[in-house]
């Protein structure tokens, strides 16, 4: 058998079959071209009542499980659409004023209302993080934090703690110094904390590589931060690098013994409860991905023997939005997006077809056939899948086709900028829509796969529609916590006396 190739990104899970393996181009369902053609014919291969085999699923059946009729009933009021300029005022009126009692923090955010939504949301999020940390320290609710609490001396060191997660943005810390909330004695510490962090030149090239691949900003930040943490540890704890700053370490001289020493250090933190097994596994995966990058582009043999993750639970039950809440999200997109048609297409590709963010960003007009109402999805491992287009997604694509300038990609000019925009915009759209659900834009893929399970889709069909190699990978996306009572009732129906 051919050995699996090493994953290139920190999404690699050493305890699963690698979905990034190089395979021949394939089509959806049974990976058979003739079957793909038949599955997209309305009559199908066999009558629709025959649901006991994936090969007997018709196109009508596929459309039925992929698209929700309730989500198609959406209208756009273009005359009263506030657009992007209405995002900051909405957050100010509905979140800042009712939920932030501190006059100091209100004054900090007020000038930012006139900036871009991205900048304003970043500063608003930093204020929320600050309130959360203070509330945790004082054992009160974040909504109860007032100006007097900011003056509590216990609050100084906590703000400047480099291990604080999520961190307080340096712009907010500088503001607190300026208005003398933080002690003048803390200025030197804050200056060093807030100074631009120098990054190793090779690590800068790696970050640029991730950006060109179209990864989200948050993903790239975590990848770079994990490698930078390794370099800082080596600089402090390994005699060979004594007196050498992290950005000057000779990366190609790092040995396997040094990496294993760092792994042992982080593993002790897991056992002490400082870090979780998931955090440890993500860190190991990020460092391995960095060395695989060095191997691919510099011919460097990575010193990764026995440098591996540990077993950790990958499943985390989450609450999912209802159909009405999803509909509300798209209404918000229509009202506040700069280009509502194309942003709707982007998010509908994620929630209605289960595309990954990078896949949606790379969809071209050559992948769309409006005549046959189909889309070709290019997935991991250079596999291709053909799926039907109906409903609101199809209508938006028709409208975008009529307005589309001469460019190949549907959603913009550059996959990286497309993915970054969808990633960032999701945060304030979800906030305005009243979503309290955890997770970023990849949450849509969880919604897609879980909704298929609610429709009693066969496991084989579910695997093909989710476009993964193994069924156990699908289980990581299935959020069935809302069905606990239903499952209990079904178990109670079993008669064990027969």
């Amino acid at each position: 058998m051919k050995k699996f190739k090493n994953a290139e990104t920190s999404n690699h899970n050493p305890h699963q079959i690698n979905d990034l393996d190089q395979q021949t181009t394939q089509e959806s369902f049974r990976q058979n071209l003739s079957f793909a053609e038949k599955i997209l014919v309305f009559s199908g291969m066999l009558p629709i009542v025959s649901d006991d085999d994936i090969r007997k699923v018709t196109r009508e059946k596929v459309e039925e499980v992929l698209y929700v009729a309730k989500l198609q009933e959406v209208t756009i009021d273009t005359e009263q659409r506030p657009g992007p300029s209405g995002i900051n005022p909405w957050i100010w009126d509905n979140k800042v004023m009712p939920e932030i009692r501190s006059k100091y923090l209100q004054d900090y955010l007020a000038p930012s209302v006139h900036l871009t939504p991205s900048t304003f949301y970043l500063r608003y999020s930093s204020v929320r993080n600050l309130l959360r940390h203070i509330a945790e320290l004082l054992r009160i609710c974040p909504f109860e934090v007032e100006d007097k609490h900011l003056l509590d001396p216990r609050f100084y060191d906590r703000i400047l703690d480099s291990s604080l997660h999520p961190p307080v943005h340096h712009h907010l810390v500088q503001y607190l110094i300026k208005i003398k909330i933080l002690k003048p004695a803390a200025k030197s510490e804050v200056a060093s904390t807030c100074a631009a962090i120098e990054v190793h030149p090779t690590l800068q090239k790696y970050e640029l590589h991730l950006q060109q691949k179209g990864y989200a900003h948050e993903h790239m930040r975590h990848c770079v931060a994990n490698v930078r943490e390794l370099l800082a540890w080596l600089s402090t704890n390994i005699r060979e690098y004594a007196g050498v700053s992290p950005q000057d370490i000779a990366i190609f001289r790092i040995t396997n013994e040094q990496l294993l020493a760092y792994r042992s250090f982080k593993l002790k933190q897991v056992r002490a409860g400082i870090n979780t097994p998931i955090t440890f596994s993500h860190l190991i995966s990020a460092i391995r991905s960095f060395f695989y990058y060095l191997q691919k582009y510099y011919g460097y043999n990575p010193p990764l023997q026995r440098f591996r993750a540990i077993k950790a639970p990958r499943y985390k039950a989450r609450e999912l939005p209802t159909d009405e809440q999803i509909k509300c999200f798209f209404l918000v997109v229509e009202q506040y997006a700069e280009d509502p048609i194309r942003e709707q297409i982007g998010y509908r590709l994620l929630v209605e077809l289960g595309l990954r963010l990078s896949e949606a960003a790379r969809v071209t007009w050559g992948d769309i056939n409006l005549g046959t109402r189909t889309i070709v999805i290019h997935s991991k491992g250079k596999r291709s899948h053909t799926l039907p287009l109906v409903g609101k997604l199809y209508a938006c694509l028709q409208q975008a086709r009529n307005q589309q300038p001469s460019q190949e990609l549907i959603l913009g000019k550059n996959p990286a900028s497309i993915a970054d925009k969808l990633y960032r915009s999701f945060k304030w759209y979800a906030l305005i829509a009243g979503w309290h659900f955890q997770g970023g834009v990849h949450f849509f893929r969880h919604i897609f796969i879980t909704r298929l399970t609610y429709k009693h889709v066969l496991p084989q069909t579910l695997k093909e529609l989710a476009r993964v190699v193994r069924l156990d990978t699908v289980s990581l996306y299935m959020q069935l916590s809302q069905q606990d009572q239903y499952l209990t009732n079904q178990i109670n129906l079993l008669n064990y006396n027969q």
Side-chain angles (χ1 to χ4, degrees):
M1 294 178 63
K2 293 183 179 179
K3 293 184 178 179
F4 292 109
K5 291 190 176 180
N6 294 320
E8 191 174 323
T9 74
S10 64
N11 288 333
H12 174 62
N13 182 353
H15 302 293
Q16 292 182 358
I17 297 298
N18 185 6
D19 285 353
L20 299 181
D21 299 333
Q22 299 294 329
Q23 297 183 9
T24 56
T25 302
Q26 301 165 342
E27 291 296 331
S28 186
F29 298 99
R30 302 293 290 182
Q31 281 78 42
N32 181 294
L33 285 173
S34 61
F35 181 79
E37 293 172 358
K38 293 177 181 178
I39 201 76
L40 294 174
V41 177
F42 279 101
S43 59
M45 293 181 68
L46 292 172
I48 193 169
V49 295
S50 301
D51 288 338
D52 59 339
D53 193 318
I54 184 176
R55 293 169 297 179
K56 302 175 184 179
V57 179
T58 65
R59 172 171 179 153
E60 287 179 320
K61 190 67 174 178
V62 175
E63 292 178 355
E64 180 183 338
V65 299
L66 285 179
Y67 299 92
V68 180
K70 292 182 180 179
L71 299 183
Q72 315 308 329
E73 302 168 2
V74 180
T75 57
I76 305 177
D77 186 357
T78 55
E79 295 183 359
Q80 299 182 358
R81 202 177 75 85
S85 61
I87 294 173
N88 292 355
W90 188 97
I91 297 176
W92 177 266
D93 293 338
N94 295 274
K95 292 296 179 179
V96 175
M97 295 305 293
E99 299 177 2
I100 300 178
R101 293 187 182 182
S102 169
K103 186 67 167 56
Y104 290 131
L105 297 180
Q106 289 181 2
D107 291 343
Y108 166 72
L109 289 173
S112 304
V113 174
H114 304 292
L115 302 179
T116 63
S118 179
T119 301
F120 180 71
Y121 184 83
L122 175 64
R123 296 182 181 179
Y124 165 68
S125 298
S126 186
V127 168
R128 286 199 304 176
N129 293 338
L130 173 64
L131 294 176
R132 191 179 311 148
H133 295 312
I134 296 176
E136 182 180 346
L137 179 66
L138 302 177
R139 296 184 178 180
I140 61 177
C141 176
F143 298 158
E144 298 175 347
V145 176
E146 300 178 358
D147 287 339
K148 63 181 181 181
H149 297 124
L150 295 181
L151 301 173
D152 192 318
R154 293 176 295 173
F155 148 69
Y156 303 150
D157 293 336
R158 188 170 180 81
I159 291 290
L160 301 177
D161 186 355
S162 59
S163 64
L164 192 65
H165 183 79
V168 177
H169 197 269
H170 68 84
H171 187 273
L172 174 55
V173 176
Q174 291 175 331
Y175 167 79
L176 296 174
I177 294 174
K178 182 179 179 181
I179 63 175
K180 299 183 179 180
I181 290 294
L182 289 179
K183 303 183 297 186
K187 283 187 177 181
S188 59
E189 299 177 47
V190 176
S192 61
T193 302
C194 299
I197 301 176
E198 294 188 49
V199 181
H200 196 286
T202 306
L203 196 51
Q204 290 179 341
K205 295 179 181 178
Y206 178 57
E207 185 175 16
L208 179 61
H209 164 76
L210 294 176
Q211 183 178 350
Q212 292 172 342
K213 287 286 185 179
Y215 290 105
H217 174 77
E218 192 70 10
H219 172 77
M220 294 188 293
R221 185 180 70 82
H222 282 295
C223 290
V224 172
N226 285 324
V227 179
R228 191 170 61 234
E229 183 180 346
L230 165 67
L231 299 179
W233 186 87
L234 292 174
S235 176
T236 305
N237 296 277
I238 301 299
R239 181 180 301 177
E240 181 180 347
Y241 304 113
V244 180
S245 63
Q247 61 268 20
D248 294 327
I249 285 180
I251 289 181
F252 296 105
R253 293 180 60 185
I254 297 176
T255 65
N256 181 237
E257 290 75 15
Q258 294 166 358
L259 289 180
L260 292 179
Y262 178 66
R263 181 183 184 276
S264 298
F265 165 73
K266 299 303 293 185
L267 197 55
K268 289 179 181 178
Q269 291 188 329
V270 173
R271 291 167 180 162
I274 299 174
N275 288 325
T276 66
I278 288 291
T279 301
F280 176 84
S281 297
H282 286 173
L283 179 140
I284 295 295
S285 181
I287 295 173
R288 290 178 65 90
S289 298
F290 173 67
F291 279 98
Y292 289 141
Y293 159 78
L294 297 179
Q295 180 185 34
K296 181 176 180 180
Y297 291 94
Y298 295 92
Y300 172 60
N301 186 27
L304 297 174
Q305 293 78 14
R306 294 179 290 126
F307 187 76
R308 53 180 178 266
I310 59 177
K311 290 184 178 181
R314 311 292 298 180
Y315 180 81
K316 180 181 179 182
R318 302 180 185 180
E319 183 184 358
L320 296 181
T322 64
D323 289 347
E324 287 302 316
Q325 288 172 314
I326 297 175
K327 178 179 177 180
C328 179
F329 175 87
F330 282 105
L331 285 173
V332 170
V333 174
E334 291 173 348
Q335 292 296 313
Y336 291 94
E338 180 179 0
D339 190 339
I341 296 299
R342 285 181 179 79
E343 289 193 43
Q344 264 205 85
I345 292 173
Y347 292 118
R348 288 186 182 277
L349 286 172
L350 304 180
V351 74
E352 295 184 3
L353 294 180
L355 269 66
R356 302 169 180 88
L357 182 59
S358 58
E359 293 170 348
R362 295 196 303 267
V363 173
T364 68
W365 284 111
D367 299 325
I368 303 293
N369 190 324
L370 295 177
T372 60
R373 296 187 291 112
T374 58
I375 177 174
V376 177
I377 302 170
H378 304 287
S379 301
K380 293 181 177 181
K382 295 185 178 180
R383 298 187 303 272
S384 296
H385 308 260
T386 302
L387 291 175
L389 290 171
V390 295
K392 186 66 176 179
L393 175 58
Y394 177 70
C396 288
L397 284 167
Q398 283 184 311
Q399 192 169 348
R401 175 77 276 186
N402 296 333
Q403 303 172 355
Q404 182 71 26
S406 55
Q407 60 188 41
E408 183 181 8
L409 296 173
I410 290 178
L411 301 178
K413 297 180 179 180
N414 180 271
S417 60
I418 293 171
D420 186 65
K421 182 175 180 59
L422 291 175
Y423 174 83
R424 290 177 178 272
S425 300
F426 170 78
K427 296 180 179 180
W428 48 78
Y429 293 154
L431 182 69
I432 296 174
W435 282 24
H436 58 277
F437 312 104
Q438 295 182 350
V441 69
H442 194 66
F443 183 51
F444 278 125
R445 186 160 166 82
H446 289 258
I447 298 173
F448 167 76
I449 294 177
T450 304
R451 273 173 37 188
L452 293 180
T453 65
Y454 288 162
K455 295 186 177 183
H456 309 293
V457 175
L458 289 172
Q460 300 94 327
T461 306
L462 186 60
K463 181 175 75 72
E464 299 300 337
L465 293 176
R467 294 168 291 105
V468 296
V469 175
R470 295 167 60 91
L471 273 174
D472 56 0
T473 303
V474 176
S475 66
L476 301 177
Y477 291 92
M478 294 167 60
Q479 309 298 331
L480 301 179
S481 57
Q482 294 173 327
Q483 280 194 320
D484 286 347
Q485 188 57 50
Y486 168 78
L487 296 175
T488 300
N489 293 338
Q490 296 303 306
I491 292 174
N492 290 337
L493 294 177
L494 298 176
N495 186 351
Y496 295 99
N497 296 324
Q498 294 180 353

